[in-house]
Amino acid sequence: MNTNKAKMRSFIFYHLDGIALIPTVLTLGKKNILDEFSEKKISLSSLSKKFNASEGYLNVALRLLCCQGWLSQHFESNDVFFKKNKSIDLISIYKTYKIIELFFSEKFNYEEIISKKNGKLFHIVKLYIQNRYKILTTENQNLNLEKHVDGVILGPILVFLSRKKLLTINNLNDLKINENWKKLLIDFFLILKMINKENQCITEFGQFLFKRSSAYGVTVSYLPTFRKLEDLIFKNPKILWEREENSAEIHVDRKMNVWGSGGAHKLYFQKVDEIIINLFNLPIEQQPKGFIDIGCGDGSLIEHIFDLIFYKTKRGKMLKDFPLIIIGSDFNYKALEVTKENIKNADIWANTAFGDIGNPKELAKKIKTEYNVNLEDLLNVRSFLDHNRVYKNPKGKNTSKSNSKCSFAFRGKRIKNEVLSQNLYEHFSEWKPFLYKYGLLIVELHSIAPTITQKNLGKNSMTAYDATHGYSDQYILEYENFLIEAKRAGLIPEKKHEHLFPNKEIPIVSVNRLICK
């Protein structure tokens, strides 16, 4: 890897760390929990009881500090214990982060950047630029706190400008926004060395961040959650879920989330393409009758897979005699409506079906009744979905001890790691009867141990992933433990189609075709 690019990319990772860490530390500091930590271990249960906190979300919060190496975690007797790294001053970190405290006090309208009126956001950014030098005087310079705080300001601004298609410029004077905002951003970008002082031309580093602005999208999309951490941890752990049925999600900006994930997913889907092409180039009697995209969203993956089969496989030349059965399934009725419209516009014949990833029997029954299709006759495809299943208490007794170092919660209650492992095993077991012919093509996100995250700071987004998923009841598990439960359920990865990103040592994303053993 180009050393300079790796160094520039590290800023993005530190920025993402900051967006997740800062609201967490501010929330804990405000409640004086940070004062409790020393070089002697203290239990999660005792902290939760003393501060009347939801054990599940407090566990998520403390794990983020472990990811930075500020705390260490130890699992003992069905509890989690934490102790402080002796070189770390948590109170000093908290005081440093307070420089940006106002940013998390409410939701801001970024449209003011292109309007004629300066709003609250303008004054917060201006205040930060004026006081940023204070960060430099702290005793925690080796902890990248400066980059953390910069990320909170920079990330959402880059996301907004990029989504408005305003970043295709070489000189900041060409930026078509509010003139006061332009002057403010020139000051900020000069500090970050994103533009040259002489002519406001964008530097190589500035162009690097501009071109990768979508990398901030997923983490920034969870700002609604980060602004609710005090409620979530200490007041009402169900606050993010108290909304009317079928109304918009309140914990995440879903459109921004989808936009942000698009660029990163291209790399993974190259491997998905290989699996699709391989399967639909087999002799026709060995091929699936079609495919089902579970969690189809807006139908874009359906369109992509259809084009792939049509143009790049033997099956594409045989569709008149062996037409593809295509089904898009989702748990959201609005998503199904969008899928119907998009595949119609793309001139693709496909059906849709409401489906819950946690209830494959009901989905199989529905598509059999409505379309006379057996679920097992289709290639089952899903991407970044299984970790977002709605949690259900396991039906069976836990049969294995988990070595996971993750933090899991459901509506504030802590889920013990061995219980979550049993839940995943049962989830896979429910799907196995429908996978014995063609398996499951699955793209999944994973967590890694905090010690690994800490050793690779500036090289991964794990702190942000653990935060966004942990606080919103999503269950990203280490790849090793993910495979253990899949294998227990009788599903194994087809070796030639097992791919890990960024690598086998730090497996954060996996692409697999899980087949029945």
Side-chain angles (χ1 to χ4, degrees):
M1 180 185 289
N2 183 293
T3 304
N4 192 39
K5 280 192 174 182
K7 185 177 180 180
M8 290 191 290
R9 187 176 286 110
S10 73
F11 278 82
I12 296 177
F13 291 130
Y14 286 125
H15 290 163
L16 298 180
D17 284 357
I19 295 170
L21 273 170
I22 291 175
T24 298
V25 172
L26 289 175
T27 301
L28 298 178
K30 184 178 178 181
K31 294 293 184 178
N32 298 316
I33 286 185
L34 299 178
D35 296 310
E36 300 292 314
F37 297 101
S38 68
E39 293 172 49
K40 294 182 179 179
K41 63 183 182 181
I42 186 169
S43 71
L44 173 66
S45 59
S46 65
L47 285 169
S48 301
K49 186 176 181 180
K50 180 175 180 178
F51 291 91
N52 194 29
S54 65
E55 190 171 302
Y57 296 136
L58 181 58
N59 193 28
V60 171
L62 297 180
R63 188 174 192 269
L64 303 187
L65 275 60
C66 295
C67 287
Q68 297 295 303
W70 303 343
L71 298 178
S72 60
Q73 64 174 186
H74 307 274
F75 294 83
E76 298 175 27
S77 304
N78 292 320
D79 208 339
V80 189
F81 292 81
F82 298 90
K83 62 180 181 179
K84 187 176 70 68
N85 181 328
K86 63 181 180 180
S87 66
I88 297 298
D89 184 348
L90 292 175
I91 304 304
S92 177
I93 294 172
Y94 168 61
K95 289 178 179 178
T96 300
Y97 283 168
K98 279 178 72 67
I99 193 173
I100 201 65
E101 189 171 28
L102 284 174
F103 181 84
F104 294 98
S105 61
E106 59 182 284
K107 179 181 178 181
F108 298 99
N109 183 9
Y110 281 82
E111 290 289 336
E112 73 171 74
I113 295 176
I114 57 176
S115 72
K116 295 182 179 180
K117 184 178 180 181
N118 302 329
K120 292 181 181 179
L121 181 63
F122 177 87
H123 296 292
I124 285 179
V125 176
K126 185 177 181 180
L127 188 65
Y128 172 61
I129 293 172
Q130 291 171 345
N131 291 283
R132 183 179 178 275
Y133 70 93
K134 292 180 181 179
I135 301 177
L136 302 176
T137 63
T138 70
E139 57 193 51
N140 295 303
Q141 282 307 291
N142 62 328
L143 301 181
N144 296 291
L145 304 190
E146 178 184 345
K147 296 172 188 173
H148 292 168
V149 186
D150 286 340
V152 170
I153 295 294
L154 181 65
I157 289 174
L158 288 184
V159 167
F160 175 79
L161 294 175
S162 182
R163 294 182 77 195
K164 292 291 184 179
K165 303 187 187 305
L166 295 173
L167 291 184
T168 54
I169 53 173
N170 294 313
N171 188 301
L172 216 64
N173 287 316
D174 298 330
L175 192 59
K176 299 184 184 304
I177 60 173
N178 175 315
E179 285 300 316
N180 289 323
W181 263 102
K182 187 184 294 185
K183 292 176 184 176
L184 193 66
L185 291 185
I186 286 174
D187 289 343
F188 187 39
F189 289 173
L190 278 171
I191 291 171
L192 300 185
K193 299 181 180 179
M194 293 174 63
I195 59 174
N196 290 316
K197 186 175 183 179
E198 295 77 19
N199 53 18
Q200 274 77 63
C201 281
I202 300 164
T203 62
E204 180 187 8
F205 178 53
Q207 289 288 2
F208 184 89
L209 295 185
F210 278 16
K211 290 177 182 178
R212 290 159 180 79
S213 55
S214 64
Y216 293 90
V218 172
T219 305
V220 171
S221 74
Y222 278 90
L223 279 175
T225 292
F226 295 140
R227 291 193 172 108
K228 291 287 186 183
L229 289 191
E230 184 175 351
D231 289 317
L232 201 65
I233 299 174
F234 297 103
K235 297 178 181 178
N236 179 9
K238 298 180 182 179
I239 191 170
L240 298 179
W241 311 100
E242 292 176 342
R243 59 188 176 94
E244 294 182 9
E245 189 175 355
N246 294 324
S247 63
E249 297 166 293
I250 61 175
H251 72 287
V252 64
D253 182 330
R254 185 56 65 187
K255 287 184 178 179
M256 182 190 296
N257 186 276
V258 171
W259 171 84
S261 63
H265 290 180
K266 288 180 182 178
L267 177 63
Y268 316 136
F269 282 99
Q270 290 175 3
K271 300 303 180 182
V272 170
D273 290 357
E274 291 177 12
I275 299 173
I276 297 288
I277 291 171
N278 180 268
L279 272 173
F280 288 93
N281 270 336
L282 292 171
I284 190 63
E285 65 274 8
Q286 297 177 31
Q287 291 187 25
K289 290 184 177 180
F291 66 90
I292 179 169
D293 178 16
I294 302 172
C296 58
D298 62 0
S300 56
L301 183 57
I302 290 175
E303 184 176 350
H304 174 76
I305 293 177
F306 176 82
D307 287 346
L308 194 68
I309 294 172
F310 187 85
Y311 291 108
K312 295 190 177 181
T313 71
K314 294 177 181 177
R315 181 66 167 273
K317 299 177 176 62
M318 306 167 67
L319 293 183
K320 186 175 181 180
D321 296 322
F322 300 96
L324 275 175
I325 297 171
I326 305 172
I327 296 177
S329 175
D330 205 288
F331 194 61
N332 186 303
Y333 285 105
K334 289 184 179 179
L336 291 178
E337 291 174 7
V338 174
T339 293
K340 284 181 182 179
E341 185 67 23
N342 288 344
I343 58 181
K344 180 181 178 182
N345 292 338
D347 197 25
I348 297 172
W349 185 90
N351 290 306
T352 58
F354 177 85
D356 178 0
I357 191 175
N359 194 346
K361 286 184 180 179
E362 186 61 31
L363 176 60
K365 181 180 178 182
K366 181 179 286 289
I367 66 172
K368 181 65 175 178
T369 301
E370 295 183 8
Y371 306 119
N372 194 30
V373 179
N374 294 320
L375 183 56
E376 60 268 26
D377 288 334
L378 305 174
L379 172 64
N380 282 256
V381 181
R382 49 195 191 237
S383 60
F384 300 104
L385 184 66
D386 288 68
H387 68 258
N388 198 20
R389 64 192 182 279
V390 177
Y391 176 76
K392 296 185 292 188
N393 286 322
K395 297 175 183 177
K397 185 178 180 181
N398 299 333
T399 55
S400 68
K401 186 175 181 180
S402 173
N403 65 356
S404 173
K405 301 295 184 290
C406 294
S407 300
F408 302 115
F410 180 70
R411 307 304 189 258
K413 294 183 178 179
R414 179 189 163 217
I415 303 173
K416 295 176 182 177
N417 292 0
E418 61 269 21
V419 176
L420 195 282
S421 292
Q422 180 69 17
N423 165 275
L424 180 60
Y425 158 71
E426 293 183 7
H427 171 72
F428 280 138
S429 296
E430 289 178 2
W431 273 99
K432 186 186 176 184
F434 307 102
L435 305 175
Y436 67 92
K437 284 188 176 181
Y438 305 108
L440 169 63
L441 201 172
I442 181 171
V443 185
E444 188 54 293
L445 179 68
H446 304 285
S447 187
I448 55 179
T451 50
I452 299 176
T453 301
Q454 188 266 326
K455 289 176 183 177
N456 292 277
L457 292 176
K459 298 178 182 179
N460 67 75
S461 308
M462 205 66 249
T463 300
Y465 287 152
D466 279 335
T468 54
H469 291 73
Y471 288 135
S472 60
D473 296 0
Q474 299 182 69
Y475 309 111
I476 51 174
L477 187 66
E478 300 98 337
Y479 183 62
E480 172 192 359
N481 291 296
F482 174 85
L483 275 191
I484 286 173
E485 303 313 321
K487 290 176 179 177
R488 270 217 297 156
L491 300 172
I492 58 174
E494 186 182 32
K495 281 301 177 183
K496 67 177 179 179
H497 290 310
E498 181 183 19
H499 306 282
L500 301 175
F501 302 90
N503 52 55
K504 290 183 179 180
E505 287 68 40
I506 310 176
I508 293 177
V509 173
S510 67
V511 178
N512 274 299
R513 186 163 82 103
L514 297 178
I515 56 178
C516 295
K517 60 181 180 180

